[in-house]
């Protein structure tokens, strides 16, 4: 995190990536023709190809490639637990997460995609709807650059609210540590996936959270609740590692069941690698859907 | 090992302080912020292994220092047996007060008491001081042994006890006995070569009945260092009923005096039905049932028909304790008071003085009045009388005879009715210049300046009776040129002249009234003051005539008061019982047992009764707190200066045999504290790494 400015950091990350086309998840109506289809009752008569009908006396509907590009909303966790880190072991989770969000936003805006931002802790703090505008990136980076002053996370409550805010189907990128009870989370995520969103989750964890490599006994303070616990890390480590492993496995299970592409990153991992991984990953849900109904979009 | 002040060992609880402080010190101070504690469980309190040995040593030193400090304050010692001191014991003085009052006659109390004395002897050792007192009305020292010798001294005491076959009939003056015993101990000087007395104890062996007198202890500052212990004999579980004669009311108010008796039942009594029985000299016993609830008393008048009998003894039936159930009764004979009126009045003349004088003195069961009228000019010899009332001029011969009678002890009342009586008064008052002026008051004269504290007028001292304003005098005389000395003016008229005069002449008395009670002179005869005034003038005579013949055991009987106070030479007293030796005495007789006694002189003989003290009938025990209120050291002895010295000597001896270790313990405390300081200083110099977060 040598570069202080988030926009520069994002730009540095994005540069060197080839801009590649990616198909919009929705077919719409634009100038670029894609296919004909037999008219079925209920189809809009405006899209009937009158010329073909005059020639062949058959009703065909013209389908076009959707003109609009990707609508992507970044949902970034601004709670206090994300402030952990900033030592020699690794950067703060919040810095790391915000950089990922900013880099991807930059990249997508360069692709002329509509990008939005939502920040949350216990509740939704900020919501910028996805748009493609000249100053959209500036606005998003400006919002991301404000220091998170959040409190405890209630990921589920925030997601429930965001589900009502995010309108059209699009891509949702969740950046959080996901240190929250699993049971509720599954239901909240289902709101997005069932609405057809392409949800991708980036779980940002500090290396200490993964290995609990503390040495001396100390009073451990929960950054969110302020609760204190006197601990000998030597004694507590084993149980901790087991629990966090179980938590992560459960989380993976939830993502997989919901068709959510997820990445678990440590704050020590190079950001470029994470971006590369993110962009190369096929949306699990899209793949699953395409497998379920291959003829519908490919006709 | 023992401790002189073991309470200080509680201070060892202070050990908890360093231990707690050390525990607190082991808590980590550094804080570590962490994303979420949701995967962390509480572990055991972490222990800093690196610092543990140093801290443990410090803790050990601190605990040891505190423990030893508590130990030092508790003053531990080990008593080393001194072979020289072995076998020696502290010398003590035991004083036993044995109650021999009448109440000890109940049951086998006396045998029990004597056995207790013998038991008490068991605690004596060779060289101890032992004193035995037997007390009733007075305390008699029976035995006083300076240095106790086991068998010889015990034999002496046993012999003395055997001589006391029975308890006495007297009261129990426990207070006096305690004071006598206490003073004897206090006054005793320890000889320089004598072993000092370590313990002084007075042991009271008594039934401790409530009738015991303790008054003397109240005014006595109890000497310190003398302990009093009480050995109560017997339990008064049945209660007792006592009887005493109720004193007659004032003589002039009582028209008829009937002997009455107060029957008192003790609060713990089990019965309330008694029989009041009279054993007359002749005939069958007379009885009357009496109901007295426990804790109450009742006055029983002797029925009138009983008075006709010659009664010598009354008793109560139904009472468990019989020692006080008999009451000896000396029946009073009616005494005659002789009054001579010298004047010319007729007995039935309501306008004269004699008529009212006769009416004023009424016969009672105890007193009869013989009023005789004599002419002032009579040439016959003046009859003997207890009171002469002179209402007119008397001849010179009679005046002289009267003067002699007065000087010989008679009482006379002269009423000035005319100025012709001046000559008589000049003689009787030794006032040759005296003359009488008749005062004619316009309306009436009133009395004032009454000397109510004079014995004659003291009967009117109460504010209810001291109002004389209703007493009007129409005619009165003024005595002029009265002698300045020897004449007491008891009252004056409101115009100034004296109204009532009182003169003492040798052994007799003369009272002069300058206005009489004739209706033409004043309202005195008709006023409520008249009879009390006449009885008051006669009081010394009546007192001598109505001398009681009821006495108590142990009371001092003044034998000169027998025979109406006319006793010359010695009196022979014959105690009750067959073959009792007579006692000759000229002044005081002390009866030692109840019964009917006979006192006889040359030409007279009188019977008097002696009974137990009514207090002896109160057999319920004295409340124990009463002794404490009197300041008697009942539980623990308080050291007297003498005993302090003895105690100091004993303490020195004990201390010499005691090995104390507190100095060593104190030294160890200092050593540990120094070590602790050094170790702590060294520990603080070594900077310990602080956990970074």
């Amino acid at each position: 995190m040598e570069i202080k400015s988030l926009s520069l950091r994002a730009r540095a990350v994005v540069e060197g990536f080839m801009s590649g086309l990616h198909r919009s998840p929705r077919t719409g109506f634009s100038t670029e023709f894609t296919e004909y289809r037999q008219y079925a009752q209920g189809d809009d008569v405006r899209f009937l190809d009158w010329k073909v009908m005059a020639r062949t006396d058959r009703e065909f509907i013209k389908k076009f490639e959707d003109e609009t590009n990707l609508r992507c909303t970044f949902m970034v966790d601004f709670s206090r637990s994300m402030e952990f880190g900033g030592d020699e072991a690794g950067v703060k989770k919040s810095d790391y997460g915000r950089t990922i969000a900013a880099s991807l936003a930059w990249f997508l805006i360069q692709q002329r995609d509509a990008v939005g931002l939502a920040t949350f802790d216990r509740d939704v703090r900020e919501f910028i709807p996805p748009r493609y505008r000249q100053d959209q990136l500036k606005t998003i980076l400006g919002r991301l650059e404000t220091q998170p002053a959040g409190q405890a996370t209630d990921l589920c409550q925030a997601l429930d609210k965001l589900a009502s805010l995010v309108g059209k189907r699009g891509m949702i990128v969740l950046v959080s540590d996901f240190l929250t009870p699993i049971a509720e989370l599954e239901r909240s995520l289902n709101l997005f996936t069932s609405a057809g969103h392409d949800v991708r989750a980036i779980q940002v964890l500090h290396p200490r959270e993964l290995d609990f490599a503390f040495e001396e006994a100390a009073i451990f303070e929960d950054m969110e609740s302020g609760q204190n616990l006197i601990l000998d890390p030597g004694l507590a480590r084993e149980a901790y590692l087991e629990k966090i492993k179980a938590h992560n496995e459960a989380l993976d299970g939830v993502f997989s069941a919901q068709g959510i592409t997820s990445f678990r990153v440590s704050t020590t991992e190079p950001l470029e690698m994470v971006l590369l991984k993110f962009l190369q990953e096929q949306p699990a849900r899209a793949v699953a859907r395409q497998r379920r109904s291959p003829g519908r979009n490919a006709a | 090992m023992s401790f002189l002040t073991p309470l200080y060992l509680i201070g060892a609880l202070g050990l908890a302080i360093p231990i707690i402080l050390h525990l607190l010190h082991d808590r980590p101070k550094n804080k570590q912020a962490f994303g979420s504690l949701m995967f962390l469980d509480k572990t055991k309190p972490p222990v800093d292994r690196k610092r543990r040995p140093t801290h443990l040593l410090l803790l050990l030193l601190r605990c040891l220092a505190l423990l030893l400090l508590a130990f030092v304050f508790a003053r531990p010692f080990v008593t080393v047996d001194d072979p020289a001191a072995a076998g020696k014991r502290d010398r003590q003085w035991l004083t036993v007060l044995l109650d021999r009052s009448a109440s000890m006659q109940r049951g086998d109390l006396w045998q029990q008491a004597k056995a207790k004395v013998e038991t008490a002897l068991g605690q004596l050792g060779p060289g101890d001081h032992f004193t035995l007192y037997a007390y009733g009305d007075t305390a008699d020292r029976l035995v006083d042994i300076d240095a106790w010798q086991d068998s010889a001294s015990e034999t002496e005491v046993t012999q003395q006890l055997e001589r006391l076959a029975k308890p006495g009939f007297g009261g129990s003056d426990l207070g006096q006995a305690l004071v006598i015993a206490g003073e004897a101990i206090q006054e005793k000087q320890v000889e320089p070569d004598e072993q000092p007395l370590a313990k002084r104890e007075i042991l009271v062996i008594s039934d401790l009945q409530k009738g015991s007198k303790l008054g003397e202890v109240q005014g006595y500052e109890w000497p310190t260092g003398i302990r009093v212990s009480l050995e109560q004999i017997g339990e008064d579980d049945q209660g007792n009923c006592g009887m005493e004669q109720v004193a007659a009311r004032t003589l002039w108010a009582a028209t008829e005096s009937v002997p009455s008796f107060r029957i008192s039942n003790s609060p713990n009594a089990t019965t309330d039905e008694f029989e009041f029985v009279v054993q007359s000299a002749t005939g069958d016993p007379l009885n009357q049932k009496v109901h007295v609830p426990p804790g109450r008393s009742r006055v029983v008048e002797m029925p009138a028909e009983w008075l006709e009998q010659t009664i010598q003894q009354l008793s109560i039936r139904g009472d468990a304790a019989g020692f006080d159930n008999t009451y000896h009764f000396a029946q009073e004979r009616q005494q005659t008071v002789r009054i001579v009126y010298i004047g010319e009045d007729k007995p039935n003349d309501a306008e004269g003085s004699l008529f009212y004088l006769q009416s004023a003195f009424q016969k009672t069961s105890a007193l009869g009045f013989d009023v005789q009228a004599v002419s002032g000019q009579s040439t016959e010899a003046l009859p003997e009388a207890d009171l002469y009332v002179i209402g007119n001029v008397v001849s010179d011969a009679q005046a002289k005879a009267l003067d002699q009678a007065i000087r010989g002890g008679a009482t006379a009342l002269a009423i000035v009715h005319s100025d012709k009586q001046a000559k008589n008064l000049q003689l009787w008052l030794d006032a040759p210049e005296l003359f009488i002026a008749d005062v004619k008051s316009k309306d009436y004269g009133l009395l004032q300046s009454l000397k109510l504290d004079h014995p004659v007028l003291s009967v009117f001292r109460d504010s209810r009776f001291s109002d004389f304003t209703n007493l009007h005098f129409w005619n009165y005389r003024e005595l002029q040129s009265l002698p300045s000395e020897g004449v007491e003016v008891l009252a004056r008229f409101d115009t100034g002249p004296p109204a009532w005069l009182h003169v003492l002449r040798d052994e007799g008395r003369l009272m002069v009234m300058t206005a009489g009670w004739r209706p033409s002179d004043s309202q005195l005869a008709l006023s409520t003051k008249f009879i009390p005034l006449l009885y008051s003038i006669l009081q010394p005579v009546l007192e001598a005539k109505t001398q009681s013949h009821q006495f108590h055991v142990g009371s001092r009987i003044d034998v000169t008061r027998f025979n109406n106070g006319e006793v010359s030479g010695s009196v022979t007293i014959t105690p009750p019982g067959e073959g009792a030796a007579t006692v000759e005495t000229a002044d005081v007789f002390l009866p030692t047992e109840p019964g009917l006694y006979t006192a006889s002189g040359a030409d007279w003989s009188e019977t008097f009764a002696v009974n137990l003290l009514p207090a002896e009938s109160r057999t319920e025990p004295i409340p124990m707190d009463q002794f404490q209120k009197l300041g008697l050291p009942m539980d623990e002895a308080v050291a007297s200066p003498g005993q302090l010295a003895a105690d100091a000597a004993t303490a020195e001896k004990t201390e010499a045999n005691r090995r104390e270790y507190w100095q060593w313990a104190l030294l160890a405390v200092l050593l540990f504290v120094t070590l602790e300081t050094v170790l702590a200083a060294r520990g603080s110099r070594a900077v310990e790494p602080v956990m970074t977060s």
Side-chain angles (χ1 to χ4, degrees):
Chain A
M1 291 288 138
E2 292 81 9
I3 306 166
K4 289 287 174 204
S5 162
L6 185 62
S7 60
L8 276 178
R9 221 155 60 205
R11 190 173 170 181
V13 174
V14 172
E15 273 179 4
F17 279 97
M18 286 294 293
S19 62
L21 288 171
H22 50 265
R23 198 178 294 270
S24 166
R26 294 171 48 162
T27 50
F29 298 91
S30 64
T31 50
E32 198 170 344
F33 168 79
T34 52
E35 60 181 344
Y36 281 113
R37 174 172 67 79
Q38 187 80 40
Y39 171 79
Q41 197 172 354
D43 282 340
D44 196 341
V45 289
R46 285 184 299 168
F47 304 120
L48 274 173
D49 193 338
W50 300 106
K51 289 177 185 171
V52 172
M53 197 177 82
R55 275 199 310 267
T56 62
D57 202 18
R58 288 179 184 166
E59 297 89 7
F60 283 95
I61 294 285
K62 276 168 96 177
K63 293 199 82 175
F64 302 90
E65 188 80 30
D66 193 347
E67 195 174 49
T68 313
N69 283 330
L70 180 69
R71 291 172 59 86
C72 180
T73 309
F74 290 94
M75 296 188 179
V76 184
D77 187 352
F78 264 40
S79 67
R80 279 217 183 129
S81 66
M82 292 293 284
E83 289 297 296
F84 179 62
D87 48 20
E88 69 271 19
V91 294
K92 276 188 189 173
K93 289 193 286 182
S94 59
D95 287 344
Y96 197 89
R98 285 183 295 157
T99 312
I100 289 176
S103 306
L104 283 172
W106 185 293
F107 178 76
L108 291 175
I109 285 198
Q110 279 197 339
Q111 293 291 325
R112 300 175 187 278
D113 289 329
V115 178
L117 176 71
T119 61
F120 63 91
D121 41 55
R122 188 183 293 170
D123 204 346
V124 177
R125 299 189 66 78
E126 199 103 42
F127 179 71
I128 303 164
R131 278 194 194 112
Y132 172 72
R133 274 192 200 162
Q134 287 302 316
D135 60 345
Q136 182 74 350
L137 182 66
K138 201 176 164 188
T139 314
I140 288 173
L141 291 181
R143 289 285 189 276
L144 279 174
E145 225 160 358
T146 54
Q147 283 300 316
Q151 296 166 352
T153 328
D154 190 347
L155 193 56
C156 302
Q157 188 186 334
L159 289 179
D160 291 354
K161 206 159 182 184
L162 279 171
S164 64
L165 291 173
V166 179
K168 287 182 182 173
R169 281 195 296 171
M171 182 190 274
I172 304 282
V173 181
L174 257 172
V175 182
S176 171
D177 51 9
F178 291 103
L179 296 179
T180 187
I182 303 285
E184 290 279 309
L185 185 66
E186 188 171 6
R187 187 191 56 79
S188 302
L189 288 173
N190 195 36
L191 292 175
F192 290 96
T193 52
S194 57
H197 292 293
D198 175 13
V199 183
R200 297 181 186 209
I202 302 176
Q203 186 186 14
V204 182
L205 290 173
H206 191 271
R208 285 282 170 276
E209 286 176 328
L210 290 165
D211 57 13
F212 203 68
F214 296 102
E215 286 184 355
E216 290 188 10
I219 304 165
F220 280 75
E221 187 185 17
D222 192 311
M223 293 179 80
E224 291 189 351
S225 63
Q227 189 188 344
N228 285 336
L229 197 62
I230 299 166
L231 275 182
D232 186 351
L235 296 174
R237 185 176 296 121
E238 199 178 335
Y240 173 83
L241 293 178
E242 272 180 26
K243 281 189 180 177
I244 193 139
K245 191 182 166 198
H247 175 79
N248 287 339
E249 280 172 4
L251 199 60
D252 290 344
V254 169
F255 290 147
S256 159
Q258 296 288 330
I260 295 171
T261 313
S262 67
F263 310 91
R264 179 166 301 116
V265 294
S266 163
T267 56
T268 47
E269 274 184 58
L271 277 165
E272 300 84 359
M273 298 307 292
V274 178
L275 278 182
L276 188 64
K277 214 158 66 177
F278 180 83
L279 293 170
Q280 282 176 341
E281 195 70 39
Q282 268 285 63
R285 188 180 173 82
V287 172
R289 198 167 46 232
Q290 276 168 8
R291 279 195 198 120
R292 278 203 302 273
S293 55
R296 188 173 169 86
N297 284 335
Chain B
M1 181 181 287
S2 310
F3 296 94
L4 279 181
T5 49
L7 274 181
Y8 277 106
L9 286 177
I10 296 170
L13 291 177
L15 281 183
I17 298 167
I19 292 172
I20 290 169
L21 286 176
H22 275 249
L23 283 176
L24 286 176
H25 193 251
D26 276 347
R27 279 168 69 97
K29 279 179 187 161
N30 50 334
K31 271 199 169 181
Q32 173 66 59
F34 197 62
S36 173
L37 298 183
M38 63 186 287
F39 307 120
L40 289 170
D41 292 330
K42 198 171 182 179
T43 58
K44 282 178 192 172
V47 181
D48 194 340
R49 289 179 185 80
K50 275 188 278 178
R51 281 191 290 179
R52 199 188 218 177
T54 327
H55 280 197
L56 267 187
L57 192 59
L58 273 177
L59 176 64
L60 191 71
L61 283 173
R62 285 164 186 167
C63 287
L64 273 175
L66 274 177
L67 197 66
L68 281 173
L69 206 60
F71 195 65
V72 166
F73 275 100
R75 303 267 313 265
F77 70 90
V78 175
T79 314
V80 180
D81 288 337
D82 181 4
K88 280 192 184 175
R89 56 186 293 284
D90 291 331
R91 197 167 158 243
Q92 61 164 325
W93 184 340
L94 176 68
T95 302
V96 173
L97 301 182
L98 177 61
D99 183 1
R100 52 171 307 195
S101 66
S103 61
M104 291 292 284
Q105 294 192 2
R106 289 178 292 154
D108 63 342
L109 290 190
W110 183 241
Q111 275 67 36
Q112 284 185 41
K114 288 207 286 187
K116 290 277 182 192
V117 176
E118 282 168 10
T119 313
L121 299 180
Q123 61 174 283
L124 293 168
D128 285 350
H129 196 137
F130 176 73
T131 316
L132 173 65
Y133 289 90
Y135 77 91
D137 290 312
T138 53
D140 305 318
R141 187 162 64 185
L142 302 180
V143 181
D144 188 27
I145 301 167
D146 262 345
W148 182 264
Q149 294 164 334
D150 280 335
S151 55
S153 304
E154 209 166 319
T155 315
E156 190 185 336
V157 176
T158 317
Q159 280 173 355
Q160 281 291 342
L161 286 176
E162 276 170 10
R163 268 182 226 162
L164 291 173
K166 274 184 171 181
F169 292 95
S172 42
D173 196 343
L174 177 56
Q176 188 201 39
L178 280 169
V179 169
I180 288 174
E183 276 177 347
I185 297 172
Q186 199 181 14
E187 284 163 12
K188 170 85 176 174
Q189 298 289 327
V190 179
E191 299 295 326
D193 56 334
E194 250 183 338
Q195 195 191 347
L197 288 158
K199 194 175 148 195
R200 297 162 176 81
E201 188 182 354
I202 295 177
L203 173 65
V204 180
I205 298 175
S206 164
D207 57 352
L208 296 175
Q209 42 104 218
K210 206 169 183 180
S212 302
K213 283 197 267 180
L214 283 166
E216 208 149 324
V217 183
Q218 208 153 22
Y220 177 69
E221 192 183 343
W222 190 254
T224 49
I226 304 176
R227 183 182 151 161
V228 178
S229 43
L230 303 171
E231 185 78 62
Q232 190 171 7
I233 310 289
E235 279 181 27
D236 182 29
D237 48 359
Q238 289 185 318
N240 184 35
C241 181
M243 168 167 53
E244 64 176 304
Q245 194 177 356
V246 181
R249 285 170 288 169
T250 28
L251 290 166
W252 52 267
T255 52
E256 202 65 36
S257 163
V258 177
S260 33
F261 296 87
R262 180 179 291 115
I263 317 273
S264 311
N265 200 2
S266 60
N268 54 346
T270 51
T271 177
D272 55 2
E273 286 290 345
F274 302 100
E275 217 172 348
F276 187 49
V277 185
V278 164
Q279 189 67 53
S280 62
T282 54
D284 295 327
L286 307 164
N287 53 24
Q288 186 185 348
K289 284 207 167 158
V290 187
H291 175 80
V292 189
R296 301 280 186 83
S297 63
R298 213 180 140 186
V299 174
V300 180
E301 270 193 3
M302 199 184 275
E305 64 268 21
W306 293 13
L307 290 171
E308 292 159 12
Q309 310 267 347
T310 310
I311 297 166
Q312 293 188 326
Q313 194 173 307
L314 299 99
S315 53
I316 296 175
R317 267 190 216 154
D319 181 24
F323 75 100
D324 59 344
N325 285 358
T326 306
Y327 190 86
H328 301 282
F329 184 64
Q331 237 169 353
E332 311 284 344
R333 282 181 301 177
Q334 194 186 54
Q335 299 288 333
T336 307
V337 179
R338 293 159 298 170
I339 298 167
V340 170
Y341 180 79
I342 305 170
E344 312 308 324
D345 292 13
K346 291 193 173 71
N348 298 327
D349 183 7
E351 293 299 315
S353 300
L354 180 58
F355 176 77
Y356 297 100
L357 187 68
Q358 281 174 328
S359 313
F361 293 111
Q362 295 293 321
K363 187 179 130 182
T364 70
S365 62
L367 287 172
F369 294 93
D370 174 20
V371 182
Q372 199 181 340
V374 177
S375 166
Q377 304 305 320
S378 169
T379 52
E380 287 174 25
L382 192 68
E384 269 193 33
D386 299 305
L387 174 69
Y388 295 98
V389 181
I390 305 130
N392 214 331
V393 185
V394 294
S395 64
D396 289 350
Q398 264 196 346
K400 278 181 188 166
L402 268 170
D403 191 39
Q404 275 179 356
I406 294 165
R407 284 176 188 270
T411 306
L413 170 62
I415 308 154
V416 185
H417 283 131
S418 72
D419 52 3
K420 291 172 191 161
Q421 288 174 278
K423 198 178 174 190
N424 296 147
L425 288 175
Q426 282 170 359
L427 174 68
W428 296 329
L429 296 177
D430 288 336
E433 306 293 316
L434 183 137
F435 66 96
I436 299 167
D438 212 8
V439 179
K440 287 286 178 193
S441 179
K442 282 180 192 168
D443 38 18
Y444 54 83
L446 289 175
L447 289 181
Q448 65 171 27
S449 310
L450 288 131
K451 272 197 175 175
L452 295 178
D453 49 352
H454 191 274
V456 172
L457 296 186
S458 63
V459 69
F460 304 112
R461 197 157 44 194
D462 193 307
S463 58
R464 288 176 294 173
F465 315 125
S466 61
D467 180 14
F468 280 78
T469 51
N470 289 330
L471 187 54
H472 296 177
F473 292 85
W474 324 118
N475 293 313
Y476 55 92
R477 286 105 217 150
E478 185 178 349
L479 299 183
Q480 290 182 343
S481 304
L482 274 170
S484 55
E485 285 182 9
V487 178
E488 255 184 302
V489 180
L490 301 186
R492 289 179 182 277
F493 289 108
D494 52 350
T495 49
W500 295 342
L501 303 167
H502 186 261
V503 183
L504 287 175
R505 283 183 75 73
D506 294 343
E507 287 174 24
R509 303 177 304 139
L510 170 67
M511 182 146 171
V512 181
M513 289 180 165
T514 58
W517 55 77
R518 291 189 305 208
S520 57
D521 277 0
S522 73
Q523 292 177 319
L524 181 60
L526 302 174
S527 83
T528 53
K529 315 288 184 198
F530 184 55
I531 294 169
L533 181 66
L534 288 181
Y535 268 86
S536 190
I537 293 166
L538 257 181
Q539 183 72 18
V541 178
L542 297 181
E543 270 179 12
K545 296 266 181 192
T546 56
Q547 194 61 243
S548 172
H549 287 70
Q550 298 294 136
F551 300 97
H552 294 125
V553 177
S555 57
R556 295 166 63 86
I557 301 174
D558 182 3
V559 295
T560 57
R561 296 174 75 174
F562 287 127
N563 194 25
N564 294 339
E566 291 166 11
V567 174
S568 55
S570 65
V571 176
T572 309
I573 311 274
T574 313
E578 293 293 319
T582 56
V583 183
E584 293 272 334
T585 179
D587 44 19
V588 172
F589 171 67
L590 277 170
T592 54
E593 57 180 294
L596 285 175
Y597 288 68
T598 312
S600 50
D603 52 352
W604 58 272
S605 173
E606 277 182 15
T607 304
F608 63 92
V610 175
N611 286 294
L612 296 180
L613 275 170
E616 282 302 295
S617 299
R618 302 179 65 195
T619 53
E620 65 267 27
I622 308 175
M624 280 301 143
D625 60 341
Q626 198 173 334
F627 291 101
Q628 279 156 357
K629 280 179 196 161
L630 288 169
L632 291 175
M634 305 299 294
D635 295 314
E636 51 191 304
V638 185
S640 66
Q643 197 185 354
L644 278 178
D647 287 350
T650 318
E652 257 176 44
K653 202 168 61 188
T654 319
E655 272 178 25
N657 300 336
R658 196 187 289 154
R659 301 277 179 270
E660 287 198 39
Y661 297 102
W662 66 270
Q663 297 96 332
W664 291 107
L666 190 62
L667 202 66
V669 169
L670 290 174
L671 187 72
F672 288 144
V673 169
T674 317
L675 259 173
E676 190 268 345
T677 313
V678 172
L679 278 175
R682 193 176 290 173
S684 67
R685 243 180 272 139
V687 181
E688 294 185 14
V690 180
M691 193 174 172
T692 52
S693 57

